């Protein structure tokens, strides 16, 4: 059995469980068939036939390349403890991703085949892909299975570089504690953000989406993941090179267009943290049916130097040129329409403005 020393937090932090996290039901298994098949999983892409005779079927989607390969090592150490904790009550299905977007495909098929829960093992990037796998052509995948008598839940074992989403819930970055949550099997409903651009597929996010400087920094940071959380510092420095604030217009909840001059960054939060622990949208609550929008305007490089601590502890809303508002939807365009304003969500580069962001209230059950 794995000793607790094998589960040393990768990025330790502690917090009390937030009040919005209401665990109101246990995960139960009520599958109509005795067996189902998951194709395209780990083990070189071989199919996995899974028995589902009265046990909870838990699909663990593992990104072995996460955190510069550290995820695979930590997962191997965790697996004996996980099997000993869950093996009597659950079918533990381990599926390794083979490349970008593979977790999306694995998740969709697992949900269609009646999995009780799909657990993302890795960082915010793996979680992001798994969340997107809960949807297909603008609809929840679970709704496509007419025989399903329960909803597949989302789970998380944070073993990646950032693991920012877990911070909002007050979860220690300890995989053993995550296994304990999964064993208890309590669920909460959480909102999901959706990003729309005309002519493009819908894209979903569960943590934070952002525009301009922060999104550009995230794009560059993704190239330096081998340096751990230092990648965010490197990405920010590179993004500042040649950066210019831009005039933008926004429309909130389908209302009138508003002009926002000299925007440095615009962040849309379903949860509170991004960039390796920066509390950028401190009023966001991933279960209240709203998104928090924080806009930084006319920031210079030295503003970040002197105010960085406020961005990390969430007190920056009192700073001049920082505004915050709660929305159900927001459309963002650049006035000059240069086509060069970066957009990302949950640390994943999505392209460039314009975009529309909106909330899907209570879209997913999460193991909490």
């Amino acid at each position: 059995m794995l000793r607790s020393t094998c589960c040393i937090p990768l990025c330790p932090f502690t917090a009390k469980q937030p009040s919005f996290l209401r665990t109101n039901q246990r995960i139960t298994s009520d599958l109509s068939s005795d067996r189902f098949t998951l194709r395209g999983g780990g083990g070189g892409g071989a199919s996995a036939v899974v028995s589902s005779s009265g046990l909870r079927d838990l699909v663990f989607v593992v990104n072995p390349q996460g955190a510069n390969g550290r995820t695979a090592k930590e997962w191997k150490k965790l697996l004996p403890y996980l099997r000993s904790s869950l093996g009597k009550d659950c079918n533990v299905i381990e599926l390794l991703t083979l490349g970008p977007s593979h977790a999306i495909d694995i998740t969709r098929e697992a949900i269609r085949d009646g999995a009780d829960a799909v657990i993302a093992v890795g960082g915010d990037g793996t979680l992001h892909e798994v969340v997107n796998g809960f949807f297909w052509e603008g609809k929840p995948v679970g709704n496509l299975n007419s025989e399903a008598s329960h909803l597949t839940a989302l789970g998380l074992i944070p073993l990646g570089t950032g693991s920012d989403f877990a911070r909002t819930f007050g979860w220690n970055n300890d995989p053993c504690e995550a296994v304990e949550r999964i064993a208890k099997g309590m669920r909460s409903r959480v909102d999901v953000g959706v990003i729309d651009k005309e002519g493009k597929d819908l894209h979903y996010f569960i943590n934070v989406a952002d525009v301009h400087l922060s999104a550009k920094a995230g794009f560059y940071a993704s190239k330096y993941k081998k340096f751990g959380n230092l990648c965010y510092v490197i990405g920010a420095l590179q993004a500042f090179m040649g950066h210019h604030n831009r005039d933008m217009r926004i429309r909130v909840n389908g209302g009138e267009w508003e002009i926002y001059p000299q925007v440095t960054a615009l962040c849309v939060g379903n949860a509170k943290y991004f960039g390796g622990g920066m509390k950028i949208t401190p009023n966001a609550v991933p279960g209240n049916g709203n998104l928090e929008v924080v806009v930084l305007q006319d920031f210079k490089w030295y503003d970040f130097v002197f105010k960085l601590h406020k961005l990390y502890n969430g007190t920056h809303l009192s700073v001049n040129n920082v505004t915050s508002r709660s929305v159900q939807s927001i459309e963002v365009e650049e006035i000059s329409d240069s086509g060069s304003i970066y957009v990302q969500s949950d640390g994943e580069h999505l392209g460039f403005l314009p975009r529309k962001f909106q909330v899907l209230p209570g879209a997913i059950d999460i193991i909490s």
Side-chain angles (χ1 to χ4, degrees):
M1 180 182 294
L2 185 71
R3 299 178 185 272
S4 59
T5 53
C6 292
C7 297
I8 298 173
L10 305 179
C11 301
F13 60 89
T14 58
K16 295 180 180 179
Q17 179 162 302
S19 59
F20 69 81
L21 192 58
R22 289 186 282 271
T23 54
N24 47 30
Q25 59 174 320
R26 285 194 177 275
I27 298 175
T28 58
S29 181
D30 187 12
L31 304 175
S32 57
S33 61
D34 290 333
R35 300 169 73 84
F36 64 91
T37 302
L38 293 170
R39 291 172 291 277
S47 299
V49 180
V50 181
S51 170
S52 54
S53 54
L55 300 179
R56 292 167 55 196
D57 294 299
L58 305 181
V59 177
F60 292 83
V61 182
V62 185
N63 174 16
Q65 303 303 318
N68 198 33
R70 192 174 70 244
T71 296
K73 297 176 183 177
E74 294 295 327
W75 171 248
K76 181 177 286 189
K77 291 191 292 184
L78 178 67
L79 195 55
Y81 174 75
L82 184 146
R83 292 191 182 280
S84 67
S85 299
L86 303 176
K88 294 181 180 179
D89 302 314
C90 309
N91 292 316
V92 174
I93 307 109
E94 172 195 12
L95 297 175
L96 306 181
T97 61
L98 303 179
S101 300
H102 192 198
I104 299 175
D105 297 332
I106 291 174
T107 300
R108 285 177 180 156
E109 188 146 11
I111 294 172
R112 286 169 176 152
D113 286 337
D116 205 79
V118 179
I119 294 95
V121 181
D124 292 314
T126 304
L127 177 64
H128 177 79
E129 287 198 7
V130 169
V131 167
N132 274 268
F134 273 74
F135 302 91
W136 172 255
E137 295 184 341
K139 298 179 181 179
V141 171
N143 289 352
L144 302 179
N145 185 349
S146 59
E147 297 180 358
S149 57
H150 69 287
L151 294 175
T152 300
L154 169 70
L156 173 63
I157 296 180
L159 287 178
T161 302
S163 299
D164 281 311
F165 180 72
R167 300 173 190 269
T168 294
F169 285 79
W171 295 339
N172 291 324
N173 206 5
D174 183 339
C176 287
E177 290 190 9
V179 171
E180 292 172 7
R181 284 193 299 272
I182 294 166
K184 292 177 182 176
M186 304 302 292
R187 292 185 177 199
S188 300
R189 298 291 284 177
V190 295
D191 307 331
V192 170
V194 58
I195 303 173
D196 189 11
K197 182 177 183 178
E198 188 175 354
K200 300 288 186 179
D201 292 335
L202 296 177
H203 202 90
Y204 301 88
F205 68 99
I206 198 168
N207 194 42
V208 177
D210 52 308
V211 172
H212 204 18
L213 179 63
S214 56
K216 190 176 181 180
F219 173 77
Y220 288 125
S222 66
K223 302 177 183 299
Y224 302 102
K225 289 293 182 72
K226 64 182 178 181
F227 297 110
N229 277 355
L230 185 61
C231 72
Y232 300 111
V233 177
I234 300 172
L237 292 173
Q238 192 167 352
F240 266 118
M241 297 175 61
H243 169 77
H244 299 284
N245 298 325
R246 299 293 180 89
D247 297 336
M248 298 185 191
R249 53 175 165 253
I250 70 171
R251 180 161 65 180
V252 172
N253 300 337
E256 298 294 326
W257 285 98
E258 306 171 42
I259 302 300
Y260 273 64
Q262 294 299 291
V263 172
T264 306
L266 183 150
C267 302
V268 183
N270 185 51
K272 300 178 187 295
Y273 297 87
F274 79 162
M278 189 178 295
K279 198 174 184 180
I280 191 66
T281 46
N283 296 326
V285 178
N288 68 352
N290 296 304
L291 301 169
E292 184 187 10
V293 177
V294 171
V295 184
L296 281 61
Q297 293 173 266
D298 200 26
F299 266 52
K300 307 296 190 298
W301 67 268
Y302 50 80
D303 289 310
F304 286 96
V305 172
F306 293 113
K307 299 169 184 177
L308 188 63
H309 66 287
K310 290 182 176 291
L311 291 168
Y312 271 94
N313 62 30
T315 59
H316 56 287
L317 300 187
S318 62
V319 172
N320 290 336
N321 297 337
V322 178
T323 57
S324 173
R325 62 200 299 180
S326 181
V327 309
Q328 287 79 51
S329 70
I330 181 170
E331 298 167 69
V332 185
E333 299 179 353
E334 183 196 6
I335 291 178
S336 66
D337 195 23
S338 69
S340 62
I341 304 300
Y342 284 69
V343 178
Q344 73 168 1
S345 66
D346 299 345
E348 302 299 310
H349 176 63
L350 299 184
F352 306 92
L353 287 181
R355 287 293 195 278
K356 180 179 181 179
F357 308 82
Q358 55 189 332
V359 66
L360 299 178
I364 289 181
D365 276 2
I366 190 168
I367 300 175
S368 55

